[in-house]
Amino acid sequence: MSLYLPKASLVPLALVAVLQLAACTPRQLIVDSLADELSVAGQGNENDLDLLRDAVPFHLKLSESVLR
């Protein structure tokens, strides 16, 4: 037993599928999740101020490169 769909009903179905895929690209998903992780890492508590001072330029450069 096969399921028969008329061609007229496939067009809206294909349009919905294309719009959903176009709305969420893999690159955007990766950038969003990585940006969330970087923002959480930047809010940590650090007692060693020298280590924190030395790490800030690296964290800033990494954040900028991810957003490009």
Side-chain angles (χ1 to χ4, degrees):
M1 179 191 271
S2 65
L3 180 64
Y4 174 73
L5 291 174
K7 287 184 182 179
S9 67
L10 290 178
V11 172
L13 181 63
L15 184 62
V16 168
V18 167
L19 288 175
Q20 285 181 348
L21 289 174
C24 206
T25 63
R27 183 183 187 282
Q28 188 63 37
L29 289 172
I30 292 169
V31 168
D32 287 345
S33 64
L34 191 54
D36 290 341
E37 290 298 321
L38 286 174
S39 68
V40 169
Q43 296 173 357
N45 292 332
E46 181 60 52
N47 295 330
D48 187 359
L49 295 180
D50 291 331
L51 176 65
L52 184 62
R53 185 189 66 229
D54 293 340
V56 167
F58 172 75
H59 189 269
L60 180 62
K61 193 67 171 177
L62 178 64
S63 300
E64 288 175 349
S65 65
V66 166
L67 294 176
R68 287 187 185 165

Coordinates of all heavy atoms in Angstrom, one line a residue:
M1 N 0.8 -1.2 0.0 CA 0.0 0.0 0.0 C 0.9 1.2 0.0 O 1.7 1.4 0.9 CB -0.9 0.0 1.2 CG -1.8 1.2 1.3 SD -2.6 1.4 2.9 CE -4.0 0.4 2.7
S2 N 0.7 2.1 -1.0 CA 1.6 3.3 -1.1 C 0.7 4.5 -0.8 O -0.5 4.5 -1.0 CB 2.2 3.4 -2.5 OG 1.2 3.6 -3.4
L3 N 1.4 5.5 -0.3 CA 0.7 6.8 0.1 C 0.8 7.7 -1.1 O 1.9 7.9 -1.6 CB 1.4 7.4 1.3 CG 0.8 8.7 1.8 CD1 -0.6 8.5 2.3 CD2 1.7 9.3 2.9
Y4 N -0.3 8.2 -1.6 CA -0.4 9.0 -2.8 C -0.6 10.4 -2.3 O -1.6 10.7 -1.6 CB -1.4 8.6 -3.7 CG -1.6 9.5 -4.9 CD1 -0.7 9.6 -5.9 CD2 -2.7 10.4 -5.0 CE1 -0.8 10.5 -6.9 CE2 -2.9 11.2 -6.0 CZ -1.9 11.3 -7.0 OH -2.1 12.2 -8.0
L5 N 0.3 11.4 -2.7 CA 0.1 12.8 -2.4 C 0.0 13.5 -3.7 O 0.9 13.4 -4.6 CB 1.2 13.3 -1.6 CG 1.4 12.9 -0.1 CD1 2.6 13.4 0.5 CD2 0.2 13.3 0.7
P6 N -1.0 14.3 -3.9 CA -1.1 15.1 -5.2 C 0.1 16.1 -5.2 O 0.6 16.6 -4.2 CB -2.4 15.8 -5.1 CG -3.1 15.4 -3.9 CD -2.2 14.5 -3.1
K7 N 0.5 16.5 -6.4 CA 1.6 17.4 -6.6 C 1.3 18.8 -5.9 O 2.2 19.4 -5.4 CB 1.9 17.6 -8.0 CG 2.6 16.5 -8.7 CD 3.0 16.8 -10.1 CE 3.6 15.5 -10.7 NZ 4.0 15.8 -12.1
A8 N 0.1 19.2 -5.9 CA -0.3 20.5 -5.3 C 0.0 20.5 -3.8 O 0.3 21.5 -3.3 CB -1.8 20.8 -5.6
S9 N -0.1 19.3 -3.1 CA 0.1 19.3 -1.7 C 1.6 19.2 -1.4 O 2.1 19.5 -0.3 CB -0.6 18.2 -1.0 OG -0.1 16.9 -1.5
L10 N 2.4 18.8 -2.4 CA 3.9 18.7 -2.2 C 4.6 20.1 -2.2 O 5.6 20.3 -1.5 CB 4.5 17.8 -3.2 CG 4.2 16.3 -3.1 CD1 4.8 15.5 -4.2 CD2 4.6 15.8 -1.7
V11 N 4.0 21.0 -2.9 CA 4.7 22.3 -3.1 C 4.7 23.1 -1.7 O 5.7 23.5 -1.3 CB 4.0 23.2 -4.2 CG1 4.5 24.6 -4.1 CG2 4.2 22.5 -5.5
P12 N 3.5 23.2 -1.0 CA 3.6 23.8 0.3 C 4.5 23.1 1.3 O 5.2 23.7 2.1 CB 2.2 23.9 0.8 CG 1.3 23.7 -0.4 CD 2.2 22.9 -1.4
L13 N 4.5 21.8 1.2 CA 5.3 21.0 2.1 C 6.8 21.2 1.9 O 7.6 21.4 2.8 CB 5.0 19.5 1.9 CG 5.7 18.5 2.8 CD1 5.4 18.8 4.3 CD2 5.4 17.1 2.4
A14 N 7.2 21.3 0.6 CA 8.6 21.6 0.2 C 8.9 23.0 0.6 O 10.1 23.2 1.1 CB 8.8 21.4 -1.3
L15 N 8.0 23.9 0.5 CA 8.3 25.3 0.8 C 8.5 25.4 2.3 O 9.5 26.1 2.8 CB 7.1 26.2 0.4 CG 7.3 27.7 0.7 CD1 8.5 28.2 -0.1 CD2 6.0 28.4 0.3
V16 N 7.8 24.8 3.1 CA 7.9 24.8 4.6 C 9.3 24.2 5.0 O 10.0 24.7 5.8 CB 6.8 24.1 5.3 CG1 7.1 23.8 6.8 CG2 5.5 24.9 5.1
A17 N 9.6 23.1 4.3 CA 10.9 22.4 4.6 C 12.1 23.3 4.3 O 13.1 23.4 5.0 CB 11.0 21.1 3.9
V18 N 12.0 24.0 3.1 CA 13.1 24.9 2.7 C 13.2 26.1 3.7 O 14.3 26.5 4.1 CB 12.9 25.4 1.3 CG1 13.8 26.5 0.9 CG2 13.1 24.2 0.3
L19 N 12.1 26.7 4.1 CA 12.1 27.8 5.0 C 12.7 27.4 6.4 O 13.4 28.2 7.0 CB 10.8 28.4 5.1 CG 10.2 29.2 3.9 CD1 8.8 29.6 4.2 CD2 11.1 30.3 3.6
Q20 N 12.4 26.2 6.8 CA 12.9 25.8 8.1 C 14.4 25.6 8.0 O 15.2 25.9 9.0 CB 12.2 24.5 8.6 CG 10.8 24.8 9.1 CD 10.1 23.6 9.6 OE1 10.6 22.5 9.4 NE2 9.0 23.8 10.3
L21 N 14.9 25.0 6.9 CA 16.3 24.8 6.8 C 17.1 26.1 6.6 O 18.2 26.2 7.1 CB 16.6 23.8 5.6 CG 16.2 22.4 5.8 CD1 16.3 21.6 4.5 CD2 16.9 21.7 7.0
A22 N 16.5 27.0 5.9 CA 17.2 28.3 5.7 C 17.2 29.1 6.9 O 18.1 30.0 7.1 CB 16.5 29.0 4.6
A23 N 16.3 29.0 7.8 CA 16.2 29.8 9.0 C 17.3 29.4 10.0 O 17.7 30.3 10.9 CB 14.8 29.6 9.7
C24 N 17.8 28.3 10.0 CA 18.8 27.8 11.0 C 20.0 27.1 10.3 O 20.0 25.9 10.1 CB 18.1 26.9 11.9 SG 18.8 26.8 13.5
T25 N 21.0 27.9 10.0 CA 22.1 27.3 9.3 C 23.1 26.7 10.3 O 23.1 27.1 11.5 CB 22.9 28.4 8.5 OG1 23.4 29.4 9.5 CG2 22.0 29.1 7.5
P26 N 23.8 25.7 9.9 CA 24.8 25.1 10.9 C 25.8 26.1 11.5 O 26.1 26.0 12.6 CB 25.4 24.0 10.1 CG 24.5 23.7 8.9 CD 23.8 25.0 8.7
R27 N 26.2 27.0 10.6 CA 27.2 28.0 11.1 C 26.6 28.8 12.2 O 27.2 29.1 13.2 CB 27.6 28.9 9.9 CG 28.7 29.9 10.4 CD 29.1 30.8 9.2 NE 30.2 31.7 9.5 CZ 30.1 32.8 10.2 NH1 28.9 33.2 10.7 NH2 31.2 33.5 10.5
Q28 N 25.3 29.2 12.0 CA 24.7 30.1 13.0 C 24.5 29.3 14.4 O 24.7 29.8 15.4 CB 23.3 30.6 12.5 CG 22.7 31.6 13.5 CD 23.5 32.8 13.6 OE1 24.1 33.3 12.6 NE2 23.5 33.4 14.8
L29 N 24.2 28.0 14.3 CA 24.0 27.2 15.5 C 25.4 27.1 16.2 O 25.4 27.2 17.4 CB 23.5 25.8 15.1 CG 22.1 25.7 14.6 CD1 21.8 24.3 14.1 CD2 21.1 26.1 15.7
I30 N 26.4 26.9 15.5 CA 27.8 26.7 16.1 C 28.2 28.1 16.7 O 28.7 28.1 17.9 CB 28.8 26.3 15.0 CG1 28.5 24.8 14.6 CG2 30.2 26.4 15.6 CD1 29.2 24.3 13.4
V31 N 28.0 29.1 16.0 CA 28.4 30.5 16.6 C 27.6 30.8 17.8 O 28.2 31.3 18.8 CB 28.3 31.6 15.5 CG1 28.4 32.9 16.1 CG2 29.3 31.4 14.4
D32 N 26.3 30.5 17.8 CA 25.5 30.8 18.9 C 25.9 30.0 20.2 O 26.0 30.6 21.3 CB 24.0 30.6 18.6 CG 23.4 31.6 17.7 OD1 24.0 32.7 17.6 OD2 22.3 31.4 17.2
S33 N 26.1 28.7 20.0 CA 26.5 27.9 21.1 C 27.9 28.2 21.6 O 28.1 28.3 22.8 CB 26.4 26.4 20.8 OG 27.3 26.1 19.8
L34 N 28.8 28.6 20.7 CA 30.2 28.9 21.1 C 30.2 30.3 21.8 O 30.9 30.5 22.8 CB 31.1 28.9 19.9 CG 32.6 29.1 20.2 CD1 33.0 28.0 21.2 CD2 33.4 29.0 18.9
A35 N 29.4 31.2 21.3 CA 29.3 32.5 22.0 C 28.7 32.4 23.4 O 29.1 33.1 24.3 CB 28.4 33.4 21.2
D36 N 27.7 31.5 23.6 CA 27.2 31.3 24.9 C 28.3 30.7 25.9 O 28.4 31.1 27.0 CB 26.0 30.3 24.9 CG 24.8 30.9 24.2 OD1 24.7 32.2 24.1 OD2 23.9 30.2 23.8
E37 N 29.0 29.8 25.4 CA 30.1 29.2 26.2 C 31.2 30.2 26.5 O 31.7 30.3 27.7 CB 30.7 28.0 25.5 CG 29.8 26.8 25.4 CD 29.4 26.2 26.7 OE1 30.3 26.2 27.6 OE2 28.3 25.8 26.9
L38 N 31.5 31.1 25.6 CA 32.5 32.1 25.8 C 32.0 33.1 26.9 O 32.8 33.6 27.7 CB 32.9 32.8 24.6 CG 33.8 32.0 23.6 CD1 34.0 32.8 22.3 CD2 35.2 31.7 24.3
S39 N 30.8 33.5 26.8 CA 30.2 34.5 27.7 C 30.2 33.9 29.1 O 30.5 34.6 30.1 CB 28.9 34.9 27.3 OG 27.9 33.9 27.4
V40 N 29.9 32.6 29.3 CA 29.9 32.0 30.6 C 31.3 31.9 31.1 O 31.6 32.2 32.3 CB 29.3 30.6 30.5 CG1 29.5 29.8 31.8 CG2 27.8 30.7 30.2
A41 N 32.3 31.6 30.3 CA 33.7 31.5 30.7 C 34.2 32.8 31.1 O 35.1 32.9 32.0 CB 34.5 30.9 29.6
G42 N 33.7 33.9 30.5 CA 34.2 35.2 30.9 C 33.7 35.8 32.2 O 34.1 36.8 32.7
Q43 N 32.7 35.1 32.7 CA 32.0 35.6 33.9 C 32.5 34.8 35.2 O 31.9 35.0 36.2 CB 30.5 35.5 33.8 CG 29.9 36.4 32.7 CD 28.5 36.1 32.5 OE1 27.9 35.3 33.1 NE2 27.9 36.9 31.6
G44 N 33.5 34.0 35.0 CA 33.9 33.2 36.2 C 34.6 34.0 37.2 O 35.1 35.1 37.0
N45 N 34.7 33.5 38.4 CA 35.4 34.1 39.5 C 36.8 33.7 39.5 O 37.1 32.5 39.5 CB 34.7 33.8 40.8 CG 33.4 34.4 41.0 OD1 33.1 35.4 40.3 ND2 32.5 33.8 41.7
E46 N 37.7 34.6 39.5 CA 39.2 34.3 39.5 C 39.8 35.2 40.6 O 39.7 36.4 40.6 CB 39.8 34.7 38.1 CG 41.2 34.3 38.0 CD 41.6 32.9 38.2 OE1 40.9 32.0 37.6 OE2 42.4 32.6 39.1
N47 N 40.6 34.5 41.4 CA 41.2 35.2 42.5 C 42.6 35.7 42.2 O 43.1 36.6 42.8 CB 41.3 34.2 43.7 CG 40.0 33.9 44.3 OD1 39.0 34.7 44.2 ND2 39.8 32.7 44.9
D48 N 43.2 35.0 41.2 CA 44.6 35.4 40.7 C 44.5 36.5 39.7 O 44.2 36.3 38.5 CB 45.3 34.2 40.2 CG 46.8 34.5 39.9 OD1 47.2 35.6 40.1 OD2 47.4 33.5 39.4
L49 N 44.7 37.8 40.1 CA 44.5 38.9 39.3 C 45.6 39.0 38.2 O 45.3 39.4 37.1 CB 44.5 40.2 40.1 CG 43.3 40.3 41.0 CD1 43.4 41.6 41.8 CD2 42.0 40.2 40.3
D50 N 46.8 38.5 38.4 CA 47.8 38.5 37.4 C 47.5 37.5 36.3 O 47.6 37.8 35.1 CB 49.2 38.1 38.0 CG 49.7 39.1 38.9 OD1 49.4 40.3 38.7 OD2 50.5 38.8 39.9
L51 N 47.0 36.3 36.6 CA 46.5 35.4 35.6 C 45.3 36.0 34.8 O 45.3 35.8 33.6 CB 46.1 34.1 36.3 CG 45.5 33.0 35.4 CD1 46.5 32.5 34.4 CD2 44.9 31.9 36.2
L52 N 44.4 36.6 35.5 CA 43.3 37.2 34.8 C 43.7 38.3 33.9 O 43.3 38.4 32.7 CB 42.3 37.8 35.9 CG 41.0 38.4 35.4 CD1 40.2 37.3 34.7 CD2 40.2 39.0 36.5
R53 N 44.7 39.1 34.3 CA 45.2 40.2 33.4 C 45.9 39.7 32.2 O 45.7 40.2 31.1 CB 46.1 41.1 34.2 CG 46.6 42.3 33.4 CD 47.7 43.0 34.1 NE 48.9 42.2 34.2 CZ 49.7 42.0 35.2 NH1 49.3 42.5 36.4 NH2 50.7 41.2 35.2
D54 N 46.6 38.6 32.3 CA 47.3 38.0 31.2 C 46.3 37.2 30.3 O 46.6 37.1 29.1 CB 48.3 37.0 31.7 CG 49.5 37.7 32.4 OD1 49.6 38.9 32.2 OD2 50.2 37.0 33.2
A55 N 45.2 36.8 30.8 CA 44.3 36.0 30.0 C 43.3 36.8 29.2 O 42.7 36.4 28.2 CB 43.5 35.0 30.8
V56 N 43.1 38.1 29.6 CA 42.0 38.9 29.0 C 42.3 39.2 27.5 O 41.4 39.0 26.7 CB 41.9 40.3 29.8 CG1 41.1 41.3 29.0 CG2 41.2 40.0 31.1
P57 N 43.5 39.5 27.1 CA 43.7 39.7 25.6 C 43.4 38.5 24.8 O 42.9 38.6 23.7 CB 45.2 40.1 25.5 CG 45.6 40.6 26.9 CD 44.7 39.8 27.8
F58 N 43.8 37.3 25.3 CA 43.5 36.1 24.6 C 42.0 35.9 24.4 O 41.5 35.5 23.4 CB 44.2 34.9 25.3 CG 43.7 33.6 24.7 CD1 44.3 33.1 23.5 CD2 42.8 32.8 25.3 CE1 43.9 31.9 22.9 CE2 42.4 31.6 24.8 CZ 42.9 31.1 23.6
H59 N 41.3 36.0 25.5 CA 39.9 35.8 25.5 C 39.2 36.8 24.6 O 38.3 36.5 23.8 CB 39.3 36.0 26.9 CG 37.9 35.6 27.1 ND1 36.8 36.5 26.9 CD2 37.3 34.4 27.3 CE1 35.7 35.8 27.0 NE2 35.9 34.6 27.3
L60 N 39.6 38.1 24.6 CA 39.1 39.1 23.7 C 39.3 38.7 22.2 O 38.4 38.8 21.4 CB 39.7 40.4 24.0 CG 39.2 41.6 23.2 CD1 37.7 41.8 23.3 CD2 39.9 42.9 23.6
K61 N 40.6 38.3 21.9 CA 40.9 38.0 20.5 C 40.1 36.7 20.1 O 39.6 36.6 18.9 CB 42.4 37.7 20.4 CG 42.9 37.6 19.0 CD 42.8 39.0 18.4 CE 43.5 39.0 17.1 NZ 43.3 40.2 16.4
L62 N 40.0 35.7 20.9 CA 39.2 34.5 20.6 C 37.7 34.9 20.4 O 37.1 34.4 19.4 CB 39.3 33.5 21.8 CG 38.5 32.2 21.6 CD1 39.0 31.4 20.4 CD2 38.6 31.4 22.9
S63 N 37.2 35.8 21.2 CA 35.8 36.2 21.0 C 35.6 36.9 19.7 O 34.6 36.7 19.0 CB 35.3 37.1 22.2 OG 35.4 36.4 23.4
E64 N 36.5 37.8 19.3 CA 36.4 38.5 18.1 C 36.5 37.6 16.9 O 35.8 37.7 15.9 CB 37.5 39.5 18.0 CG 37.3 40.7 18.9 CD 38.5 41.7 18.9 OE1 39.6 41.3 18.3 OE2 38.3 42.8 19.4
S65 N 37.4 36.6 17.0 CA 37.6 35.7 15.8 C 36.4 34.8 15.6 O 36.1 34.4 14.5 CB 38.9 34.9 16.0 OG 38.8 34.0 17.1
V66 N 35.7 34.4 16.7 CA 34.5 33.6 16.6 C 33.4 34.3 15.9 O 32.6 33.8 15.1 CB 34.1 33.1 18.0 CG1 32.7 32.5 18.0 CG2 35.1 32.0 18.5
L67 N 33.3 35.6 16.2 CA 32.2 36.4 15.7 C 32.4 36.8 14.2 O 31.4 37.3 13.6 CB 32.0 37.6 16.5 CG 31.5 37.3 17.9 CD1 31.4 38.6 18.7 CD2 30.2 36.6 17.9
R68 N 33.5 36.6 13.7 CA 33.8 36.9 12.2 C 33.3 35.8 11.4 O 33.1 34.8 11.4 CB 35.2 37.1 12.0 CG 35.7 38.4 12.6 CD 37.1 38.8 12.2 NE 37.4 40.0 12.8 CZ 38.6 40.4 12.9 NH1 39.6 39.7 12.4 NH2 38.9 41.5 13.6

